[in-house]
Amino acid sequence: MEALLPLFVVIPLGFAFITALLGRYIPLFHRIAIPLVFLFLSVLSVWMMANLRETVLTYMVGGWEPVNGIPVGIHLSADGFSVLLLVIINSLAFLSAFYSYAYIEQYTSGHYFYALFCLMVAGMNGVAVTGDIFNLYVFLEIAAIASYALVAFGIKKEELEASFKYQVLGGIGSLFILFGIGVLYWATGTLNMADIHKIIGSTAVSPGIVFAGVLLLAGFGIKSAMVPFHSWLPDAHSSAPSPISAMLSGVLIKSIGIYCLLRFFFNIFTASSQVAYVITTLGVASMVIGAFLAIYQWDIKRLLAYSSISQIGYVVMSAGIGLILLCNHGDIHVAALAIFGGIYHLMNHAFFKGLLFLNAGSLEYRLKTRNLLKMGGLASSMPVTSSTSLVASMAIAGIPPFNGFFSKLVIIVAAVKSGFYGLAIIAVIVSIITLSLFLKFQRYAFYGKPSESATTEKDVPFSMEGTMILLAVCCLLLSLLIFPFFRNLILMPAVHALMNATI
Amino acid sequence: MNGMSLIVKKITQLMAGIIFLYGVYVMLHGHLTPGGGFAGGTIVAGSFILLIVANGIRVFGLHREEQLSSAVESIAILVFLLLATAGLLTGAMWFFQNYMPHGTPGNLVSAGLIPVYNLVVGTEVAAALLTIFLGFVIYKAED
Amino acid sequence: MVLFIMCFILFLVGLYGVITRRNLIKIIIALSIMEYSLNLFFILIGYRKGGEIPILKDAGAVPPVVVDPLPQAMILTAIVIGLATTALLLAIAIRLYRKYKTFDVSGINALKG
């Protein structure tokens, strides 16, 4: 099974360049082949998840065996968390690519769109499977550069400007990460994640390692748009084509931001409670400020983008609480519950935020506007878009029986059990604000008085409708993960993978 | 945009071939001396860019050349991936496995697949740099 | 150690430039300065006093002290990535110039708030 790991990078990378080569001459090739590729990869990742359970796979690229116990060469490794991320990335990539089948007709040179899309997924898959910190940086940059280009894909004023802003801030973030990796290599003399953890664990805390930790926290904070560093996200995510917005908000900030952050601070550094408090504070700040900023937005996609900041805050806060408990030798079960809540919410957010961005894309596809004030009364003319967006809104606002309710419940219960009553109350309040946000979205877009300026007779084409229905079903089915059987199968390996190294 | 004077044109025409050959030399000796695919590729791209700068942008069919270089770039990456993936099919099942005979260190034909990788990477880098340059030039020419 | 500190100062100079400059091209230059400071930093990490190039000249003859080749390989990769980033940034800056007829950030303000 180890030999399958490189395929997650090689297949999308290969298809990116096949598309760039052939797409110009065979118009339908990429629109049919690329979704099939991602379908294959998501089936493969689900199969790996079913077989992997609690084991950790290590794969030595080029067959470079360790010399005297010191790893040489690049290692790929997969544990529960990376495989979970692979499933999220590839299934959402499949759905977005299938959605793009009809959506991409608005643009010329669609083959470049698919080529960049494949490159982005290759980078994200690479981040998930790599076990080497410099290799992580390279894959992170592949994903990031492809996303910079995709944000500017429409080459209108706003898109170019958003892309420039995103590139400058993302570039600073990348350079911080590279600097951190350099300092870490200087302090430990190795690039292998497991090896670094062993060396850091066996020596006293040195200033170099603390400095590297600060740099990496800042870098990944920028990449995952935590609150002091969030200013690029609303512009970039709202300017991109909608399937790409779904990928950026649903997967990209998680795989190159949150995943790397958790990987570094749980599995590589020896956890210290100061860092854990900083991470929790960042999470709470993102959660609150993101929600408040979202209220004022009248552009649907900007509203959704700000709400992404807020929802990511939940994930980070919950993981931070888990890290605090682990550092202070608190109750190990509560810590596991907090991390479980964070990862569960991460998975849920990928699906419902992906669905919401696709809904916004459908509205934009038919109405050519993103302004909520120019819509209204669309529930009757666009029934599929309306009903699926209702499902997603209820999921994100935390209304049972949808998945968002259960993950938020777990996070709040974990916060109460660990004694952070204030954080639990804040989480509830932010959840109520989120509810009001999405009531506003529903009210102005689908109900109320029909507006004259933007009306449509029919709903969107089949591929877009089908994707949205599939995602809505996913939102309902993911709430099954709260039951112990599914939880132990899918989410607990990820929680244990994060906790094992820290204990 | 008709290019520079006759002297410059003539000299660059003479020099470009030599620079190109030097780039290929750096690529081929990547496993023996400092340098390798990336350094050699930039030198090769430099020879083409020199010709375009000296002779003006109207001399070549820029669009056709841009399509050609981007096609070469894609093909080079695909060849690289195929060579690397072929390692999965050989006995040991390792991605990037160096499955060719290694030869004696120090010879030009040695180190198994590494010179081949260097050559492919060099082609890829040269084509990519040329594509970027031509992209900017074409954008400027549209003004 | 002085060299490391100077590298860090160069990094901060670049960061200052990115934050304070109002011209798109100058922002790109400042980003490049940050990147070059990191390239220097990596090469300094790999430096060993009196070290030779880490290449096997004849079979079996290993030089006594060699510089660390790993940061050099890493920085070659980082240079390639930097090339891609800079090219993309410049392409977008040129397109922005064509839309707005200015490189000044305060003139480019379609997205506010």
Side-chain angles (χ1 to χ4, degrees):
Chain A
M1 190 155 53
E2 289 94 337
L4 294 176
L5 285 180
L7 292 185
F8 282 103
V9 182
V10 172
I11 292 176
L13 200 61
F15 269 90
F17 291 100
I18 292 175
T19 308
L21 201 60
L22 295 182
R24 201 193 304 254
Y25 308 106
I26 312 169
L28 269 179
F29 166 76
H30 43 88
R31 284 166 68 186
I32 294 169
I34 302 299
L36 289 178
V37 168
F38 290 133
L39 183 61
F40 169 70
L41 283 179
S42 43
V43 170
L44 195 65
S45 58
V46 169
W47 181 80
M48 275 184 78
M49 179 189 249
N51 284 292
L52 190 65
R53 300 296 179 85
E54 307 273 335
T55 50
V56 179
L57 295 180
T58 311
Y59 182 83
M60 283 155 280
V61 175
W64 292 96
E65 305 279 346
V67 181
N68 303 329
I70 301 165
V72 294
I74 294 168
H75 285 209
L76 302 181
S77 72
D79 54 15
F81 193 27
S82 12
V83 173
L84 180 72
L85 197 72
L86 281 180
V87 171
I88 298 174
I89 293 169
N90 290 305
S91 50
L92 216 63
F94 160 63
L95 290 167
S96 298
F98 185 56
Y99 181 90
S100 311
Y101 180 85
Y103 187 84
I104 202 62
E105 280 170 353
Q106 304 174 60
Y107 296 96
T108 53
S109 66
H111 59 290
Y112 283 130
F113 174 88
Y114 279 98
L116 288 166
F117 191 103
C118 284
L119 265 184
M120 191 169 82
V121 175
M124 289 191 290
N125 281 342
V127 168
V129 297
T130 189
D132 177 284
I133 52 173
F134 189 74
N135 205 13
L136 183 139
Y137 169 74
V138 173
F139 282 128
L140 186 148
E141 279 295 89
I142 292 176
I145 291 175
S147 72
Y148 301 151
L150 279 170
V151 167
F153 196 75
I155 57 167
K156 286 200 285 287
K157 271 184 182 179
E158 296 83 17
E159 283 139 9
L160 290 171
E161 196 186 331
S163 174
F164 193 85
K165 210 178 195 178
Y166 180 24
Q167 278 189 60
V168 170
L169 277 164
I172 294 174
S174 303
L175 290 171
F176 272 122
I177 293 166
L178 183 60
F179 200 175
I181 287 169
V183 175
L184 209 54
Y185 177 73
W186 190 20
T188 59
T190 174
L191 289 170
N192 187 286
M193 287 183 183
D195 209 28
I196 292 176
H197 180 66
K198 214 161 63 191
I199 290 173
I200 291 180
S202 61
T203 53
V205 178
S206 73
I209 290 169
V210 175
F211 187 47
V214 172
L215 287 171
L216 288 170
L217 186 61
F220 291 124
I222 293 176
K223 288 283 181 196
S224 57
M226 309 272 223
V227 140
F229 317 115
H230 67 282
S231 60
W232 58 267
L233 185 138
D235 298 340
H237 287 198
S238 60
S239 303
S242 283
I244 296 306
S245 302
M247 283 301 282
L248 291 178
S249 236
V251 190
L252 188 88
I253 51 173
K254 297 189 184 71
S255 69
I256 72 173
I258 307 291
Y259 170 81
C260 298
L261 196 73
L262 298 185
R263 203 33 113 203
F264 268 94
F265 288 95
F266 277 82
N267 291 33
I268 294 181
F269 292 113
T270 40
S272 69
S273 54
Q274 289 96 328
V275 173
Y277 278 111
V278 171
I279 291 177
T280 315
T281 316
L282 283 177
V284 177
S286 318
M287 199 166 87
V288 177
I289 296 175
F292 276 109
L293 287 173
I295 295 179
Y296 299 103
Q297 304 303 324
W298 287 102
D299 180 333
I300 319 172
K301 283 172 85 175
R302 284 183 83 84
L303 186 147
L304 295 177
Y306 275 114
S307 126
S308 275
I309 299 175
S310 161
Q311 300 298 316
I312 284 302
Y314 273 99
V315 178
V316 175
M317 181 196 81
S318 176
I321 290 175
L323 196 57
I324 291 176
L325 287 175
L326 287 176
C327 296
N328 295 345
H329 305 288
D331 190 349
I332 209 94
H333 297 292
V334 180
L337 189 69
I339 298 168
F340 163 68
I343 294 175
Y344 189 17
H345 199 65
L346 188 147
M347 187 169 187
N348 290 342
H349 180 251
F351 284 91
F352 54 61
K353 191 49 69 70
L355 176 51
L356 282 166
F357 267 113
L358 296 186
N359 290 143
S362 301
L363 291 172
E364 198 185 353
Y365 182 81
R366 276 288 173 236
L367 307 176
K368 308 289 175 219
T369 178
R370 299 204 303 248
N371 194 334
L372 276 175
L373 290 171
K374 290 186 183 157
M375 298 176 188
L378 292 169
S380 52
S381 55
M382 299 177 83
V384 176
T385 310
S386 164
S387 49
T388 51
S389 89
L390 187 63
V391 170
S393 302
M394 288 204 283
I396 198 173
I399 292 173
F402 295 101
N403 53 4
F405 169 73
F406 294 105
S407 54
K408 282 186 184 177
L409 187 70
V410 172
I411 291 173
I412 291 166
V413 167
V416 170
K417 272 195 176 175
S418 55
F420 293 104
Y421 298 106
L423 295 189
I425 293 168
I426 292 175
V428 173
I429 293 172
V430 172
S431 187
I432 293 168
I433 297 173
T434 312
L435 178 64
S436 71
L437 267 177
F438 284 93
L439 282 177
K440 169 181 159 183
F441 171 46
Q442 292 294 326
R443 155 78 178 75
Y444 281 96
F446 296 111
Y447 301 100
K449 207 160 69 256
S451 99
E452 292 86 31
S453 59
T455 48
T456 176
E457 290 300 308
K458 54 180 191 286
D459 213 329
V460 287
F462 167 73
S463 87
M464 293 161 85
E465 278 183 354
T467 317
M468 290 191 293
I469 292 170
L470 265 177
L471 271 168
V473 172
C474 281
C475 280
L476 198 55
L477 286 186
L478 280 178
S479 52
L480 289 178
L481 288 185
I482 198 71
F483 294 112
F485 174 72
F486 295 104
R487 190 172 66 204
N488 292 337
L489 191 67
I490 296 173
L491 288 172
M492 285 330 262
V495 175
H496 293 150
L498 276 182
M499 284 175 57
N500 270 344
T502 320
I503 295 167
Chain B
M1 290 292 188
N2 291 321
M4 302 185 185
S5 69
L6 186 65
I7 302 172
V8 179
K9 281 183 187 170
K10 217 59 207 168
I11 298 283
T12 44
Q13 277 165 20
L14 290 172
M15 289 299 291
I18 299 170
I19 295 172
F20 181 86
L21 281 180
Y22 180 63
V24 176
Y25 166 84
V26 172
M27 273 187 230
L28 284 177
H29 288 72
H31 56 299
L32 300 174
T33 56
F38 180 71
T42 45
I43 297 169
V44 169
S47 72
F48 284 104
I49 291 171
L50 195 62
L51 276 180
I52 295 168
V53 168
N55 289 305
I57 55 176
R58 306 228 182 280
V59 173
F60 299 95
L62 287 178
H63 276 97
R64 207 171 55 81
E65 196 167 332
E66 198 255 343
Q67 281 183 11
L68 192 69
S69 68
S70 84
V72 169
E73 184 198 348
S74 303
I75 290 169
I77 289 185
L78 288 173
V79 170
F80 186 90
L81 281 177
L82 277 181
L83 283 174
T85 323
L88 278 174
L89 306 177
T90 56
M93 296 272 285
W94 294 114
F95 185 57
F96 269 113
Q97 172 86 28
N98 196 342
Y99 46 82
M100 298 232 303
H102 288 204
T104 43
N107 285 5
L108 184 58
V109 181
S110 65
L113 265 184
I114 292 175
V116 185
Y117 282 142
N118 268 330
L119 205 60
V120 176
V121 169
T123 318
E124 142 64 18
V125 170
L129 279 176
L130 195 60
T131 313
I132 292 173
F133 179 76
L134 286 172
F136 281 120
V137 170
I138 288 170
Y139 194 74
K140 177 78 183 161
E142 280 171 358
D143 255 342
Chain C
M1 200 64 210
V2 179
L3 285 174
F4 284 105
I5 292 168
M6 285 175 74
C7 258
F8 189 57
I9 291 172
L10 195 59
F11 185 81
L12 294 180
V13 166
L15 193 57
Y16 173 80
V18 174
I19 294 166
T20 56
R21 293 300 102 177
R22 308 206 57 76
N23 186 312
L24 296 184
I25 300 296
K26 283 183 183 168
I27 290 175
I28 297 171
I29 293 173
L31 263 180
S32 301
I33 291 176
M34 280 170 84
E35 197 189 304
Y36 297 147
S37 78
L38 287 184
N39 295 355
L40 281 173
F41 174 68
F42 272 73
I43 297 302
L44 281 175
I45 294 172
Y47 177 71
R48 302 280 181 278
K49 201 163 186 200
E52 289 188 36
I53 50 169
I55 285 179
L56 220 54
K57 284 189 191 115
D58 307 303
V62 182
V65 185
V66 292
V67 296
D68 190 351
L70 195 54
Q72 297 183 3
M74 276 151 65
I75 219 58
L76 200 58
T77 319
I79 288 173
V80 179
I81 292 170
L83 171 81
T85 323
T86 315
L88 194 58
L89 267 169
L90 281 172
I92 290 192
I94 293 175
R95 282 194 181 270
L96 273 172
Y97 182 75
R98 191 170 283 183
K99 300 269 186 210
Y100 287 96
K101 301 291 170 214
T102 176
F103 277 128
D104 194 350
V105 183
S106 46
I108 297 169
N109 49 9
L111 296 169
K112 274 280 168 70

